[in-house]
Amino acid sequence: MSKLEGPSACSSSGTGCSTSRPRAEDIIGQLKELPLYELGKVARYLGESQVKRVREDIVSMANEYQDLDFFTQLDSGMWVDDRNPVVTNFIKGIAGQSEPIKSKEAYSLVRAVEQIYSTQTLRHVLPWSFAENVVMNSVVSSKLAANINGLSSPGGSYMTIRRWLENQACNPLPAPVGDCVCAFDNDQVIGKTYHVRANQKQKSSVITSVCMAELDPSGSLQKQGQLKPSLWSQNNFETSEMLDYDSEHHTALSNVHYGEVYDCLNAHLTVVHGQLTSGSDEVDTILAQQQFQREWKVCSACQHHNPRSKRLCQNCKVPLSSAAQGEGPNAQQPIAAKRPRETVEEVSFDDAQQCLLESHKGESESTSSEMKQTNDVHVHVKPRDPIFVNPNSFESVKKVFLDLGRDFRIQKYVTDPGEFEVRDWLLVVCDGIPYTIGQKVIADTFRCITCEAVIYGKSSFTDHCVTLHNIEEESVQYVQEFDWVHLRIGFGHYEMNMLRSFFEMNWEAMIKDLSYTLGFRTENAQKYAKKGSDHHKSWELLCIFYEGSLQELVRPYVMMCVEKGEEPTPEGYLNWSKDVKSPNYQFMQEQTLTYAQSILNFRKGVRYNSKDLIMAGKFKHSPIFHGRNHPKYQLIELTEARNDLIMPAPVKDFVHGHQSISASGHPGRGEDMDFQLENLNKRSKAWTPTGVPTEKDWLRTFRNLEKLDMMRADTLRRMGCEDPKNVTSTSSSHTPKKAEILAWRAALRESNFLQNPMEDCVMKSVSGEPLDEQLPNFTHIAWSRRRYLYTVFFQGAATGTSIPDPIFVVPEERTSYHDIRNQTKEVISSKVSELISQVTDEEVKRDFTEEWASVQKKRKEHYLLFHDKVWEVVDNLNTALVLDEPDAADQNEL
């Protein structure tokens, strides 16, 4: 007990008198009677009396902040108890705080204590202020902001923070346990240059970042060697299940898809029916307002309606400014400004497929309830050591696989198992480019059983064995090095390419007009929208397209039901649409209810980890990949579909059960591992030093990332600030508003694209441009291309066969595709050979053949020149033959 806190008595045995020190209560009573000026003297004395103790306290904790683990154990209550009681009680008294102290009050107290301590000197760094400055620097990455905080608090400077990050321990990460999944992707930092230098090169740092999730820490599935991918990847199966559109497997997936279509039709029919029966069709109102604005100007002074060509009001002669056009009772206002922003209705597309009517019972309802239970387990995604290559080549992907094999303790790379477990195979997730490269690396990388060399390429491996080990070519043993890798495409990137391919396919027909309606009007803005550069904005465009198009599609049917006094139903609409003859309507219906719906189903499946919706989404969308020119994702779609059919049951259950992970624990916020890794990469950038990080910087950041994130989360929580990455809302910010949906519906209705669905017409785009004549047969042609590509990729194309032409959207695409100048040298060569064979003059044919032999050694430009030369001779010969033939009248005379 402090001398000032408790009484102390002494007695003199000789005199019988006793003296005692004054008690705190007595002193406090006297202080209450002192004037304010005198109290100030007492307060100053108290402060001066604690200078030495405060300085000693500062020195005692001066280096505590150096250890990152210290911040994970920091407790405000215990820290305050260890500080000078005179200072802490003085602050509590001023703040009027009472025991127990609340969390926010505790943080204010510790910061106040540190601020008072810092009045002695700002040279020392104190933990709470330093943690706050570190977190602030991770958010804003500003040297100036860190220095400002360091000058106004004992939080250290920017260089203090940087040295602290550089001095953190770089201890190896613990080995993964149980059954797990990992993902890898490239991450990069491009340096900035502020000067012009001779032979200057942009500095950059490119790595392969890796993350993992322990899906079942006690699982042993990946220890079963008989489940290696190499042992089942070549299994035979009934190819008709994969290649026939109406196979039993595909029929089951179609039923899942159309169950979702039924639910959405049900909801949208209700919306449109309510609009028509209430007489409040906002689209007609918008069109009337737009028509009025095109024809009239409204005078701001007298509200008189003037023809658009007038500059002065015909009534009051006031100039008609452009600002006056938005005034008047019938004038058009910007669609987005028709109502206050906070009252604009949102349409949530994460839950759009769940807007079921309670009266609808069936398989899809049970599916929805099942989906809500699949992502209810919180899975922690952890970083692993980065790999210092860019995974964009065969050699770099080979190194990535080798490093993953050692890190995840694959059997063939572990010489001494020790106390850690080993695996026989591993599930690996990546995006499109590493996936296509990785499949070739897995198939064509072999290990020499003599010298343990790992060599890519079958021919290179054969040369190695024959040349170095004198093994006869027929006796070479081809042992696959990466037979343990089960490679799977990341569904986040798969969704992005589904969306981009849908936009590319429908750009000229519809999406160009949609993007123009929604503000993408310049050439660069149109390119930005078509390319899908921002996936969030592209998703909003898709949702607006789907919502607006579907409401306009069902409108004619609902109008018929209203006239007949009937209730619209999904079954009734689908039966009604069978009699539709307009190719415009049929095309819009297919693109909306099949392809746009498949993307929505796919995202819903990923969000709720529903294997049925994921597989149905991929199946229904696959014709767009195969009907157009998407070679990378053509291979990916076929490989993934094939694996889904041939995987052993235990592997299939494991893979399908963890196709997405909810890192937040929310059952409807699942993401695949590739997007989990994107989030981790974004977090790591906050802790890397400014500039181009070195390999040591990357390694230190990833090895301490979890502790740094925990420090950040704890600091924000103590401050009473919610960490944004931990906030899980029930609605997405990237959802379309009602105003944007109405704008697209108005554009569709004004174009008359869906007018008179029961009448045949010439197929045109929304803007009125002609479309290719084969476009109505899109799905059938695309599926035939899918069958052909499967034989090319997995069976070898039959001799003499060629891939069917892609589907063309506009006639110009067909012309460009068949233009000889856009063909490869192989195609031009075959065309030239065919033309030479048509030459009837043997001497000319011989000359062409000799010249062609020399041209074949040259570039494509020479191929084209020679082709035109031969074509002109053949064309002249054909023309001469036609002119020499007698016509019918001459033959009759003869």
Side-chain angles (χ1 to χ4, degrees):
M1 183 177 293
S2 172
K3 294 179 180 179
L4 296 178
E5 293 177 345
S8 175
C10 65
S11 60
S12 174
S13 57
T15 62
C17 68
S18 64
T19 60
S20 62
R21 294 184 179 181
R23 296 183 306 160
E25 290 80 359
D26 298 333
I27 296 176
I28 291 172
Q30 296 177 13
L31 290 175
K32 290 180 179 179
E33 299 176 359
L34 292 177
L36 188 62
Y37 177 77
E38 298 295 331
L39 280 175
K41 290 182 179 180
V42 174
R44 182 176 181 83
Y45 169 76
L46 287 175
E48 291 173 347
S49 69
Q50 302 304 312
V51 169
K52 183 178 180 180
R53 294 188 179 96
V54 168
R55 184 177 294 113
E56 291 173 352
D57 197 11
I58 293 174
V59 173
S60 69
M61 58 178 174
N63 293 317
E64 289 180 339
Y65 76 96
Q66 298 284 0
D67 185 9
L68 179 57
D69 292 327
F70 169 77
F71 292 97
T72 62
Q73 305 166 2
L74 199 57
D75 179 82
S76 57
M78 295 177 60
W79 189 87
V80 170
D81 292 341
D82 291 339
R83 302 284 72 78
N84 187 295
V86 176
V87 177
T88 57
N89 286 308
F90 179 77
I91 298 173
K92 288 179 183 178
I94 290 180
Q97 293 179 348
S98 58
E99 303 292 344
I101 300 176
K102 298 179 182 179
S103 58
K104 289 185 179 181
E105 295 176 347
Y107 187 79
S108 301
L109 175 60
V110 298
R111 287 288 284 111
V113 171
E114 287 191 342
Q115 206 65 32
I116 290 178
Y117 275 31
S118 69
T119 56
Q120 284 203 4
T121 175
L122 276 174
R123 292 180 301 171
H124 292 94
V125 179
L126 302 182
W128 296 93
S129 299
F130 179 73
E132 186 176 313
N133 203 10
V134 169
V135 172
M136 179 67 72
N137 186 67
S138 73
V139 174
V140 300
S141 299
S142 171
K143 180 177 180 179
L144 178 61
N147 287 332
I148 290 174
N149 285 336
L151 292 172
S152 59
S153 69
S157 65
Y158 171 79
M159 290 305 301
T160 304
I161 296 173
R162 181 159 183 172
R163 283 194 296 269
W164 178 79
L165 289 171
E166 292 174 351
N167 292 333
Q168 292 309 309
C170 199
N171 300 321
L173 296 169
V177 297
D179 295 331
C180 56
V181 57
C182 77
F184 71 90
D185 195 5
N186 71 314
D187 193 13
Q188 61 185 0
V189 172
I190 307 298
K192 294 182 180 180
T193 56
Y194 301 95
H195 304 282
V196 177
R197 297 287 185 268
N199 302 319
Q200 180 171 269
K201 291 184 178 180
Q202 195 85 352
K203 292 184 178 180
S204 64
S205 178
V206 184
I207 65 166
T208 296
S209 55
V210 183
C211 71
M212 56 85 68
E214 295 169 341
L215 304 176
D216 185 2
S218 60
S220 60
L221 191 70
Q222 293 178 345
K223 299 178 184 178
Q224 301 178 28
Q226 70 274 18
L227 298 179
K228 278 186 178 182
S230 62
L231 300 180
W232 52 260
S233 60
Q234 301 303 321
N235 286 353
N236 294 324
F237 71 105
E238 188 60 45
T239 56
S240 60
E241 283 295 295
M242 180 175 169
L243 300 181
D244 292 349
Y245 194 81
D246 55 354
S247 67
E248 182 179 351
H249 174 65
H250 288 157
T251 301
L253 296 180
S254 293
N255 290 337
V256 174
H257 174 88
Y258 289 117
E260 299 297 317
V261 170
Y262 184 100
D263 297 336
C264 290
L265 279 174
N266 213 347
H268 288 82
L269 286 169
T270 303
V271 171
V272 176
H273 184 261
Q275 293 173 349
L276 293 177
T277 53
S278 64
S280 59
D281 192 339
E282 295 176 271
V283 178
D284 286 340
T285 304
I286 292 173
L287 291 175
Q289 291 172 344
Q290 290 176 348
Q291 181 65 26
F292 177 87
Q293 189 177 18
R294 281 193 291 267
E295 297 178 358
W296 301 94
K297 289 182 180 179
V298 180
C299 177
S300 58
C302 66
Q303 302 299 312
H304 181 71
H305 296 176
N306 298 271
R308 187 76 182 172
S309 59
K310 299 299 181 181
R311 295 186 178 182
L312 296 178
C313 177
Q314 294 176 312
N315 182 45
C316 64
K317 307 305 179 184
V318 172
L320 296 171
S321 63
S322 58
Q325 298 174 28
E327 302 178 8
N330 297 318
Q332 166 70 15
Q333 295 180 2
I335 291 178
K338 288 177 69 65
R339 62 183 80 241
R341 184 172 182 81
E342 63 272 10
T343 63
V344 174
E345 299 180 27
E346 292 189 0
V347 183
S348 176
F349 277 83
D350 281 335
D351 301 319
Q353 313 303 315
Q354 299 181 49
C355 52
L356 313 179
L357 297 181
E358 294 184 0
S359 59
H360 172 58
K361 305 293 181 182
E363 180 182 354
S364 60
E365 191 169 286
S366 62
T367 302
S368 296
S369 62
E370 178 186 350
M371 282 189 296
K372 294 180 181 179
Q373 300 172 4
T374 54
N375 263 337
D376 55 356
V377 179
H378 176 78
V379 179
H380 185 49
V381 179
K382 304 176 182 179
R384 302 301 298 173
D385 286 351
I387 304 168
F388 300 106
V389 294
N390 188 7
N392 61 355
S393 67
F394 295 112
E395 285 300 320
S396 60
V397 172
K398 185 179 78 171
K399 175 171 173 44
V400 169
F401 286 164
L402 287 170
D403 284 12
L404 290 179
R406 299 185 185 101
D407 188 25
F408 286 85
R409 301 184 61 80
I410 299 300
Q411 180 74 50
K412 64 171 60 179
Y413 304 113
V414 178
T415 56
D416 181 19
E419 60 181 2
F420 300 105
E421 60 185 45
V422 295
R423 294 175 180 78
D424 285 292
W425 60 277
L426 179 67
L427 180 60
V428 181
V429 177
C430 61
D431 67 2
I433 293 177
Y435 183 95
T436 52
I437 297 174
Q439 291 291 355
K440 296 177 182 178
V441 170
I442 293 170
D444 295 333
T445 303
F446 306 96
R447 176 181 287 268
C448 178
I449 60 176
T450 304
C451 66
E452 299 296 317
V454 178
I455 300 172
Y456 172 75
K458 193 170 185 177
S459 60
S460 300
F461 180 76
T462 303
D463 293 341
H464 167 85
C465 295
V466 173
T467 304
L468 295 183
H469 305 304
N470 297 321
I471 301 174
E472 295 183 1
E473 187 172 344
E474 295 77 11
S475 303
V476 174
Q477 298 183 31
Y478 297 96
V479 179
Q480 282 188 325
E481 173 67 13
F482 303 119
D483 57 346
W484 51 270
V485 178
H486 182 172
L487 203 59
R488 181 171 70 74
I489 188 66
F491 288 156
H493 289 82
Y494 196 93
E495 178 192 294
M496 291 171 63
N497 282 275
M498 290 174 76
L499 196 50
R500 289 172 181 172
S501 62
F502 179 82
F503 277 18
E504 188 272 339
M505 161 72 190
N506 289 285
W507 180 256
E508 295 294 338
M510 294 173 287
I511 304 300
K512 178 172 66 174
D513 303 279
L514 169 69
S515 61
Y516 187 87
T517 301
L518 298 176
F520 297 87
R521 301 195 171 183
T522 66
E523 182 179 355
N524 287 337
Q526 290 266 299
K527 290 179 180 178
Y528 179 87
K530 181 179 181 180
K531 189 178 179 181
S533 301
D534 187 324
H535 185 57
H536 299 296
K537 292 181 181 178
S538 298
W539 183 258
E540 287 187 47
L541 286 172
L542 175 74
C543 295
I544 294 168
F545 168 82
Y546 177 83
E547 183 82 356
S549 301
L550 186 52
Q551 291 182 15
E552 286 300 296
L553 283 168
V554 301
R555 184 171 176 269
Y557 164 72
V558 176
M559 291 175 65
M560 182 192 72
C561 291
V562 171
E563 292 174 0
K564 294 182 178 180
E566 299 175 355
E567 192 71 20
T569 63
E571 296 90 344
Y573 169 75
L574 295 175
N575 290 328
W576 172 86
S577 64
K578 292 178 182 179
D579 297 327
V580 169
K581 297 180 181 178
S582 169
N584 290 343
Y585 189 98
Q586 292 171 345
F587 181 71
M588 174 72 82
Q589 185 186 51
E590 180 182 44
Q591 296 303 312
T592 303
L593 293 182
T594 299
Y595 297 112
Q597 181 77 54
S598 68
I599 304 175
L600 296 174
N601 290 349
F602 182 83
R603 169 170 279 203
K604 182 184 177 184
V606 172
R607 286 287 186 260
Y608 288 95
N609 195 25
S610 168
K611 66 179 182 64
D612 291 334
L613 277 178
I614 291 174
M615 293 174 66
K618 292 195 292 186
F619 160 63
K620 281 296 184 180
H621 182 271
S622 61
I624 289 189
F625 282 149
H626 296 285
R628 302 285 287 174
N629 186 29
H630 303 283
K632 183 170 62 178
Y633 274 83
Q634 289 167 355
L635 173 61
I636 291 172
E637 189 276 326
L638 289 169
T639 305
E640 292 290 297
R642 186 174 182 273
N643 287 345
D644 285 336
L645 290 174
I646 65 176
M647 280 189 293
V651 178
K652 186 179 297 186
D653 293 341
F654 176 76
V655 173
H656 287 171
H658 303 94
Q659 295 188 107
S660 69
I661 289 174
S662 178
S664 65
H666 192 287
R669 293 292 180 269
E671 290 182 317
D672 200 5
M673 287 292 291
D674 59 335
F675 271 20
Q676 299 287 357
L677 182 56
E678 294 283 351
N679 295 332
L680 187 143
N681 286 339
K682 190 182 299 182
R683 285 156 42 200
S684 70
K685 298 286 179 61
W687 303 108
T688 53
T690 303
V692 180
T694 64
E695 291 186 2
K696 288 184 178 180
D697 293 329
W698 284 115
L699 190 63
R700 186 185 304 107
T701 298
F702 278 96
R703 287 187 172 182
N704 290 287
L705 185 58
E706 290 191 282
K707 292 181 180 179
L708 291 167
D709 283 346
M710 187 181 301
M711 173 188 176
R712 168 192 166 112
D714 289 343
T715 302
L716 291 175
R717 176 181 51 78
R718 291 167 183 145
M719 295 171 65
C721 179
E722 186 71 37
D723 194 346
K725 73 183 184 66
N726 294 330
V727 176
T728 55
S729 59
T730 57
S731 63
S732 171
S733 59
H734 298 286
T735 54
K737 306 297 188 290
K738 183 178 178 181
E740 283 70 42
I741 296 171
L742 288 174
W744 172 233
R745 290 184 64 186
L748 265 181
R749 197 175 299 180
E750 187 178 29
S751 69
N752 295 324
F753 184 73
L754 299 176
Q755 190 177 30
N756 302 323
M758 296 303 174
E759 297 179 7
D760 196 3
C761 63
V762 177
M763 192 171 183
K764 294 184 178 181
S765 67
V766 173
S767 57
E769 299 297 325
L771 300 178
D772 192 81
E773 57 186 10
Q774 289 193 348
L775 200 56
N777 301 321
F778 173 79
T779 301
H780 175 75
I781 299 174
W783 202 256
S784 66
R785 281 171 55 88
R786 186 178 186 269
R787 290 195 195 96
Y788 175 86
L789 290 170
Y790 180 83
T791 62
V792 172
F793 293 143
F794 298 103
Q795 297 174 349
T799 304
T801 61
S802 60
I803 184 172
D805 289 347
I807 292 94
F808 307 108
V809 178
V810 293
E812 291 79 9
E813 285 184 351
R814 182 180 296 276
T815 303
S816 176
Y817 180 82
H818 290 293
D819 189 347
I820 191 66
R821 284 158 182 76
N822 296 329
Q823 307 302 318
T824 62
K825 291 176 68 174
E826 290 75 12
V827 174
I828 299 173
S829 178
S830 64
K831 296 282 187 184
V832 170
S833 299
E834 182 180 348
L835 287 172
I836 292 176
S837 66
Q838 297 176 17
V839 177
T840 56
D841 190 318
E842 293 299 327
E843 185 177 352
V844 175
K845 179 185 291 188
R846 185 175 60 254
D847 293 341
F848 276 153
T849 304
E850 293 175 356
E851 185 178 355
W852 175 234
S854 63
V855 171
Q856 285 181 301
K857 301 176 183 179
K858 298 180 180 179
R859 301 175 64 179
K860 180 179 176 179
E861 292 80 0
H862 299 88
Y863 275 53
L864 292 171
L865 291 172
F866 186 75
H867 170 273
D868 293 344
K869 178 180 178 181
V870 178
W871 181 86
E872 184 177 359
V873 171
V874 173
D875 185 59
N876 291 336
L877 288 173
N878 292 335
T879 304
L881 289 173
V882 171
L883 294 175
D884 290 341
E885 290 181 356
D887 58 17
D890 293 337
Q891 289 180 355
N892 290 334
E893 291 180 2
L894 292 173

